[in-house]
Amino acid sequence: MPLGKIQLQIVSKLVEMGRLDAEQRNALVSRPDELNGDALDKLLQEEYKVSPFQCLVAKARALNLAPYNVARYRVTPKTFERIPQDFCQEHLVLPVGQVGEMLLVAFANPFE
């Protein structure tokens, strides 16, 4: 089976962002092999020189989510006041802010 629906959306967002051209998109779409998310990421990064951050942004835009790069986020004692640290580590989530009564949470994989 070729690329899945969400993978096609991610590739289309990369084209819109100018990170892939139409020929590269067509090559990806016409692949006969099945790629899981990790395999697509690896292919995009190694063969098409798309950076991990560009992949993150394309995924977020494909899913109508805000991208959030936690690489420079500073964890403080207050970080885990509302969600226990053990839970966050187990489920790969990180509370990154609060707006009113709403808690903003970054998560590693939006597909889980």
Side-chain angles (χ1 to χ4, degrees):
M1 177 178 156
L3 295 180
K5 181 181 175 183
I6 294 174
Q7 291 173 320
L8 289 172
Q9 291 173 338
I10 293 167
V11 169
S12 294
K13 292 299 177 185
L14 288 166
V15 172
E16 287 177 22
M17 294 165 53
R19 304 313 310 158
L20 296 175
D21 60 33
E23 185 178 316
Q24 291 169 321
R25 180 198 180 281
N26 292 339
L28 286 164
V29 170
S30 64
R31 289 179 65 95
D33 53 336
E34 215 174 300
L35 296 173
N36 65 24
D38 291 334
L40 178 61
D41 285 356
K42 185 176 179 179
L43 179 69
L44 289 169
Q45 291 172 28
E46 291 178 1
E47 290 189 31
Y48 295 93
K49 305 304 180 206
V50 175
S51 74
F53 185 72
Q54 291 163 341
C55 284
L56 170 71
V57 171
K59 287 177 189 177
R61 289 181 180 174
L63 297 169
N64 292 320
L65 298 171
Y68 192 90
N69 187 353
V70 298
R72 294 186 183 192
Y73 181 77
R74 292 184 61 203
V75 175
T76 68
K78 290 188 173 195
T79 301
F80 302 105
E81 282 183 337
R82 296 188 71 188
I83 301 177
Q85 185 172 358
D86 293 343
F87 176 89
C88 293
Q89 288 175 333
E90 180 181 343
H91 297 283
L92 299 176
V93 298
L94 181 66
V96 295
Q98 185 172 342
V99 177
E101 290 298 312
M102 296 190 65
L103 185 63
L104 301 175
V105 179
F107 43 94
N109 187 349
F111 303 107
E112 291 182 354

